[in-house]
Amino acid sequence: DLMFKVELSVDRVKVPEKMEHLVKDSWFKGDSALFEKFKHPRVLIVTDRYTSETTAVNPIRSLRPKPAGSGEALAKIQDIIKESKPGCNFCNSTLTLEDSFGRVLWN
């Protein structure tokens, strides 16, 4: 038996008439084909057969507008990372715990 059950589902999104203009023009820049795909999304559903954990992925949702991040917030985060790096266990793999099968390494 396979560990994962994979399904493809076609869903239907109801867009209120008053919102059609906003969604079509703002989200999809007037692209009618994308707007139609948005209204009938193909959703990939992956279920772990042993844990019953399920994840659903709708690629069209990645096209919706997202809030713009400020360069100032990113700079602050990078400063925090730089300041904490010398004492960070995860930045040096020899300072992390090791399982019986070995240590998980990353690049």
Side-chain angles (χ1 to χ4, degrees):
D1 280 70
L2 298 174
M3 184 173 181
F4 297 103
K5 175 181 171 186
V6 179
E7 302 169 88
L8 185 62
S9 171
V10 177
D11 202 357
R12 186 171 152 232
V13 175
K14 293 180 184 177
V15 180
E17 191 175 320
K18 289 182 178 182
M19 286 188 66
E20 278 192 25
H21 178 70
L22 170 72
V23 173
K24 185 176 177 183
D25 294 340
S26 176
W27 292 17
F28 301 113
K29 311 287 188 248
D31 187 326
S32 296
L34 269 181
F35 183 62
E36 287 306 311
K37 284 184 179 182
F38 171 77
K39 293 193 310 186
H40 304 282
R42 293 168 40 137
V43 179
L44 180 68
I45 302 166
V46 180
T47 304
D48 183 317
R49 293 182 188 272
Y50 299 99
T51 65
S52 297
E53 290 182 67
T54 300
T55 298
V57 179
N58 177 351
I60 294 292
R61 288 192 54 88
S62 69
L63 301 175
R64 70 189 188 283
K66 298 164 192 76
S70 73
E72 186 177 305
L74 179 59
K76 177 69 174 164
I77 291 168
Q78 289 173 332
D79 287 344
I80 291 169
I81 291 170
K82 188 186 291 182
E83 290 170 12
S84 64
K85 196 167 186 171
C88 174
N89 290 8
F90 296 104
C91 296
N92 180 346
S93 62
T94 62
L95 298 176
T96 59
L97 301 177
E98 187 173 344
D99 285 303
S100 59
F101 58 81
R103 181 176 279 120
V104 176
L105 300 175
W106 60 92
N107 293 329

